[in-house]
Amino acid sequence: MRIGRSVFSIIGAPALVMTAAGTAFAAQPLPWQTGFQPAVTPIAERVAAFNDLLVPLIVAVTIFVMILLGYVMVKFRRSANPNPSKTTHNALLEVVWTVIPIIILIVIAIPSFRLLYFIDKVPDDVGLTVKVVGHQWYWTYEYQDHKFSFDANLDEKAKPRLLETDNRVVLPVNTTVRLLLTADDVIHAWTVPAFGMKFDTVPGRLVETWVNVKKEGVYYGQCSELCGARHSKMPIAVEVVSKEKFTAWVADAKKKFATGPDTTPAIATAAVSE
Amino acid sequence: MNAQSHAHGAHDHTPSGWRRYVYSTNHKDIGTMYIVFGLIGGLAGGILSMLMRIELAEPGPGILGGDDQIFNVFVSAHGLIMVFFLVMPTFIGGFGNWMIPMMIGAPDMAFPRMNNISFWLLIPSAILLYASPFVGDGPGTGWTVYAPLSTSGHPGPAVDMVIFALHLAGASSILGAINFITTIFNMRAPGMTLHKMPLFVWALLITAFLLLLSLPVLAGAITMLLTDRNFGTAFFDAAKGGDPVLYQHLFWFFGHPEVYILILPAFGVISMVIPTFCHKPIFGYLGMVYAMIAIGVIGFVVWAHHMYTAGMPINARAYFVAATMVIAVPTGIKIFSWIATMWGGSIEFKVPMLWSIGLIFLFTVGGVTGVVLANAGIDYALHDTYYVVAHFHYVLSMGALFGIFAGFYYWIGKMCGRQYNEAFGQIHFWLTFIGVNITFFPQHFLGVAGMPRRIADYPDALAGWNLVSSLGSYLSGVAALWFLFVLWHTMTRGEKCADNPWGEGANSLEWTVPSPAPFHTFEHVPTIRSSAGGH
Ligand SMILES: [Cu+2]
């Protein structure tokens, strides 16, 4: 179910964000949703496509087992079949139900590995690097190319409740953004469902991943690794804007966050994983 | 029916009073204590889950005030209790103790006194775990007790209590595992070759090996947690050169075999129940045995599929994807072999059979979502969401728990001498079946929509499916109360159970002795009939 939602209202959003009526698109959970949030990155599109392969397969397997069970329950109930057979072996059958699952798994595995390695390889055309640091219980975003950083705390008053932050992460559209993820107290996990990705932010490790958002809008996520007393209260709000607006935002942000927090993690010897 | 199983009683020398239990070296009495212990654990863990679903029934602060710490103390206690104090004691200590010696024609377990200490170690373990939520802020770490949240994140003594509880429960299980392995290898009656053993015995044997090989690793990991917390070591402290991810590797090296420790005994139970009620030997006995062995072996080399998002080398992730998917093959062999056992049978839909069919179907549902989650590429999206919660409750709440109920209804007549009421048992099955499906199926939707696990409050848009899920859990709660009634009714009003109430389909040795099984099972070495496994 890919439902866009156009009821996002700029009212109540942080003043720093200068997007006007242009920002109509927002990705967040919707009532009675049964599918993924809309896919807005190449990764999320491939995850959705892979899911579109998996769901029919697993539904078919489940229905097949259900039909088999239903059939034997009706056909071989005591009243219909009072004299049970004594069959306990059928070599052909046993080979078949070993081989067919293997074939199904290979059909799954090939696109699965392709997707896995696609996600892992950060494209060469990185246009922006943002370092994300998880804390109990907020995120710090460090724009390393532009030498400023800021904290993003839950905005208790704003709607959507539990998803909006006082400062949003602003990213340019159609740009490969390298994300460097770490934490300085306990493990958190940074995710935006519409981006199709999630990685733990682990103290002492620096995980590299990437996003390239194809659509302007606001995207929400929540910390996804149990991190203590306010785990449900450290959301992620990403606003994706045109490149021009991004440049203007950077100029403003440099002034506004001139005395931003020092985000160098306490751990000086951060090991690079991967 | 064997003639030698009569004329008990006069020579029994059954101890009486509290000594019978506290000093017990009898596998049946110890088994009964384990089952009672498991029942208490199930009720405690069930009450916790009910409170969590009440909190989550509506967005905003609920009965727990929307407080993540309190909520996650509940989450942690619920998980630990259900794993260590419901499923493991009921299956292994309870049904295993009761049935294994009888099924292989042994007089008792190999080490009766070790059997006693195995059970009694669980009592201080339970006291520590049940008390830990009331100490300080409680252990809000999840059952995984991940560092550094469990080290620097939880200063009070609550997490230390959890660690000691796990040490004791682990020691108890290791002793139990040694006892089962020794008993099964050395005390089989003449003629009871390994390939004639009932599948429940095989399931427990493989489970015992998994326990023996995985629990020491858990013990090591939590000891390192303990010294990190209290003695200044830094195994998992990045600031001092440690690595939090190391803890995850150690934990899941135990944790993944643990999920097979929980489910293999259920496979064993329904492999007894299905042939009984189909009046037909199990299909593909050897395939079933080697599928379980394969699951046990592969179960040791897939642990890091719980850690795809933790930052492992890419080729390691690819390996764990491949290895994890391989487990689907032996699991599929088991599912199809059960169905093939039913094929051509003469099926009676008695209560144990209903639980078994329910297990086959719902375990399949949980299994296919497991195949989805095995793929790291899509697991990045689903990891730590309610999709995972739905998945593992389908394989545990519906897999392991359905296996427990199948075994309970199958053996209760043998254990207490009174048979359950068929209609009451069927009501219990249907209430539970409908309840757990309403509870857990919508959680798949919450997961793909992006709802994280282990949160006390959630965005308002997720209210709908959460309410459905909570309503389902209330129905499951009613089912649990109904089960207590069934239990009471069976114990006090149940009809006298025949030695073999199920007829010719039930051909393992426990059905050759009187109901309830006498204090000392066999006065003569029993004769093994042609086949327990259908050769
Ligand atoms: Cu967090």
Side-chain angles (χ1 to χ4, degrees):
Chain A
M1 246 190 234
R2 311 272 151 68
I3 309 164
R5 177 147 140 169
S6 54
V7 295
F8 173 74
S9 161
I10 199 72
I11 300 162
L16 179 71
V17 177
M18 297 154 303
T19 48
T23 310
F25 186 77
Q28 55 180 291
L30 300 176
W32 303 108
Q33 180 172 342
T34 58
F36 279 121
Q37 294 187 23
V40 294
T41 65
I43 290 175
E45 281 165 11
R46 283 169 172 79
V47 168
F50 185 46
N51 189 55
D52 290 344
L53 166 76
L54 284 176
V55 170
L57 268 176
I58 66 171
V59 170
V61 169
T62 308
I63 289 176
F64 177 65
V65 170
M66 190 159 56
I67 289 172
L68 277 179
L69 275 175
Y71 179 80
V72 295
M73 285 165 67
V74 173
K75 187 88 193 290
F76 301 109
R77 64 189 196 276
R78 184 126 233 212
S79 54
N81 189 37
N83 298 311
S85 86
K86 292 288 165 209
T87 315
T88 58
H89 295 281
N90 184 325
L92 177 67
L93 208 52
E94 292 179 67
V95 169
V96 166
W97 70 45
T98 306
V99 170
I100 291 184
I102 291 175
I103 294 171
I104 294 177
L105 290 173
I106 291 172
V107 168
I108 293 173
I110 292 167
S112 173
F113 288 127
R114 204 174 283 153
L115 173 65
L116 180 61
Y117 283 89
F118 175 79
I119 295 171
D120 191 64
K121 176 87 186 72
V122 181
D124 296 330
D125 60 339
V126 172
L128 177 70
T129 299
V130 179
K131 184 166 162 189
V132 181
V133 186
H135 312 269
Q136 288 178 315
W137 289 272
Y138 62 96
W139 299 97
T140 299
Y141 298 96
E142 188 177 337
Y143 283 66
Q144 303 199 318
D145 315 306
H146 303 288
K147 308 266 183 289
F148 68 87
S149 65
F150 58 88
D151 293 339
N153 282 281
L154 171 70
D155 186 338
E156 307 259 4
K157 306 253 160 30
K159 300 268 177 183
R161 204 173 61 85
L162 295 176
L163 292 176
E164 192 58 86
T165 54
D166 54 356
N167 295 312
R168 288 174 177 166
V169 195
V170 178
L171 299 179
V173 75
N174 288 323
T175 307
T176 298
V177 180
R178 176 185 11 231
L179 296 172
L180 300 172
L181 307 171
T182 188
D184 76 346
D185 39 40
V186 302
I187 304 173
H188 304 264
W190 198 87
T191 182
V192 177
F195 298 172
M197 50 71 73
K198 172 186 300 122
F199 282 100
D200 294 357
T201 64
V202 183
R205 288 185 176 224
L206 200 62
V207 170
E208 181 188 56
T209 187
W210 63 286
V211 294
N212 187 336
V213 187
K214 298 294 179 192
K215 196 165 163 126
E216 292 175 38
V218 183
Y219 304 97
Y220 295 105
Q222 293 172 276
C223 176
S224 294
E225 177 63 54
L226 176 54
C227 61
R230 286 177 61 80
H231 171 46
S232 68
K233 282 141 194 110
M234 51 180 294
I236 295 136
V238 181
E239 177 161 0
V240 176
V241 298
S242 68
K243 289 175 184 170
E244 300 74 46
K245 282 181 185 155
F246 179 75
T247 312
W249 176 80
V250 166
D252 261 27
K254 273 183 172 167
K255 283 179 222 140
K256 171 160 179 178
F257 300 123
T259 53
D262 176 13
T263 60
T264 314
I267 310 110
T269 54
V272 177
S273 86
E274 295 182 273
Chain B
M1 214 51 43
N2 292 354
Q4 74 260 23
S5 38
H6 296 287
H8 277 284
H11 326 285
D12 260 8
H13 307 299
T14 311
S16 57
W18 61 273
R19 283 186 185 83
R20 170 170 177 180
Y21 291 97
V22 174
Y23 295 169
S24 182
T25 54
N26 179 286
H27 70 104
K28 300 189 193 77
D29 284 351
I30 293 173
T32 303
M33 291 194 288
Y34 265 112
I35 291 173
V36 171
F37 181 86
L39 180 71
I40 294 167
L43 292 174
I47 289 168
L48 290 171
S49 61
M50 209 58 49
L51 289 168
M52 289 189 284
R53 279 321 314 175
I54 293 171
E55 167 69 37
L56 293 174
E58 287 174 9
I63 191 171
L64 309 178
D67 183 302
D68 285 313
Q69 181 65 21
I70 296 173
F71 185 84
N72 283 308
V73 168
F74 278 53
V75 168
S76 318
H78 167 77
L80 290 165
I81 289 171
M82 289 307 203
V83 168
F84 288 95
F85 297 158
L86 166 64
V87 179
M88 289 169 72
T90 308
F91 267 142
I92 304 165
F95 296 156
N97 253 314
W98 252 99
M99 298 304 157
I100 296 289
M102 289 202 282
M103 283 179 167
I104 62 174
D108 202 308
M109 295 290 282
F111 304 117
R113 293 183 188 193
M114 193 162 87
N115 205 9
N116 174 289
I117 194 68
S118 294
F119 173 77
W120 286 105
L121 276 175
L122 276 182
I123 301 301
S125 170
I127 290 170
L128 283 168
L129 190 70
Y130 288 133
S132 66
F134 303 102
V135 175
D137 289 336
T141 58
W143 84 288
T144 50
V145 207
Y146 272 10
L149 183 62
S150 60
T151 51
S152 58
H154 274 79
V159 172
D160 297 310
M161 294 170 73
V162 169
I163 289 171
F164 285 125
L166 291 180
H167 269 309
L168 290 170
S172 153
S173 287
I174 290 171
L175 295 179
I178 293 169
N179 215 343
F180 279 113
I181 292 169
T182 315
T183 306
I184 294 169
F185 278 152
N186 295 297
M187 296 180 67
R188 280 169 286 126
M192 178 62 77
T193 60
L194 283 176
H195 282 172
K196 279 186 181 164
M197 290 196 315
L199 284 172
F200 181 70
V201 183
W202 266 110
L204 263 282
L205 179 64
I206 296 163
T207 304
F209 271 104
L210 297 188
L211 285 166
L212 192 66
L213 296 174
S214 69
L215 278 166
V217 179
L218 173 73
I222 60 178
T223 304
M224 289 153 89
L225 275 187
L226 195 72
T227 60
D228 266 18
R229 288 174 54 80
N230 299 296
F231 305 116
T233 58
F235 295 109
F236 311 126
D237 181 353
K240 296 178 190 155
D243 184 1
V245 178
L246 172 64
Y247 176 79
Q248 300 183 13
H249 280 291
L250 295 173
F251 179 84
W252 287 114
F253 187 84
F254 148 79
H256 197 77
E258 174 67 27
V259 306
Y260 295 112
I261 289 165
L262 302 178
I263 198 64
L264 282 175
F267 288 177
V269 169
I270 73 165
S271 296
M272 307 306 294
V273 168
I274 291 172
T276 297
F277 294 96
C278 295
H279 301 273
K280 184 169 169 282
I282 193 88
F283 185 96
Y285 171 87
L286 280 181
M288 293 289 244
V289 169
Y290 287 98
M292 282 197 286
I293 293 174
I295 290 172
V297 171
I298 305 169
F300 269 103
V301 293
V302 298
W303 72 89
H305 66 213
H306 297 270
M307 303 160 49
Y308 287 142
T309 65
M312 270 183 292
I314 182 69
N315 292 328
R317 274 175 274 175
Y319 158 74
F320 282 107
V321 171
T324 303
M325 296 224 283
V326 169
I327 290 196
V329 176
T331 311
I333 290 175
K334 297 201 72 70
I335 299 272
F336 291 123
S337 296
W338 287 319
I339 296 175
T341 305
M342 294 166 70
W343 195 285
S346 185
I347 307 172
E348 285 180 285
F349 296 98
K350 296 258 174 69
V351 176
M353 187 66 184
L354 293 180
W355 290 104
S356 303
I357 296 171
L359 188 153
I360 295 175
F361 177 56
L362 298 176
F363 191 83
T364 303
V365 176
V368 293
T369 56
V371 171
V372 172
L373 290 168
N375 296 285
I378 198 162
D379 180 73
Y380 295 150
L382 297 172
H383 180 77
D384 260 330
T385 69
Y386 262 78
Y387 192 92
V388 176
V389 177
H391 157 71
F392 72 73
H393 280 94
Y394 263 85
V395 291
L396 293 180
S397 178
M398 284 99 134
L401 195 63
F402 275 40
I404 286 177
F405 283 129
F408 171 83
Y409 285 102
Y410 187 55
W411 284 314
I412 186 64
K414 182 56 62 187
M415 293 190 290
C416 83
R418 291 173 183 268
Q419 190 63 304
Y420 69 90
N421 177 292
E422 189 66 32
F424 289 172
Q426 298 211 0
I427 291 170
H428 177 217
F429 169 76
W430 285 109
L431 284 176
T432 310
F433 185 86
I434 296 166
V436 290
N437 276 294
I438 297 176
T439 308
F440 295 113
F441 200 79
Q443 294 185 358
H444 294 110
F445 301 146
L446 292 170
V448 288
M451 179 170 169
R453 296 166 70 175
R454 297 165 164 174
I455 55 173
D457 192 5
Y458 49 83
D460 301 338
L462 298 167
W465 289 125
N466 268 301
L467 179 62
V468 173
S469 179
S470 289
L471 293 174
S473 80
Y474 305 157
L475 186 58
S476 312
V478 172
L481 292 177
W482 179 258
F483 172 66
L484 291 181
F485 165 73
V486 175
L487 190 62
W488 169 82
H489 183 269
T490 306
M491 308 293 275
T492 60
R493 307 280 143 91
E495 285 175 21
K496 179 89 186 67
C497 183
D499 293 356
N500 180 356
W502 309 127
E504 83 283 9
N507 59 7
S508 46
L509 283 173
E510 78 269 29
W511 304 113
T512 64
V513 304
S515 297
F519 192 72
H520 297 298
T521 316
F522 303 107
E523 300 195 337
H524 306 281
V525 175
T527 353
I528 308 305
R529 287 195 275 175
S530 61
S531 156
H535 295 262

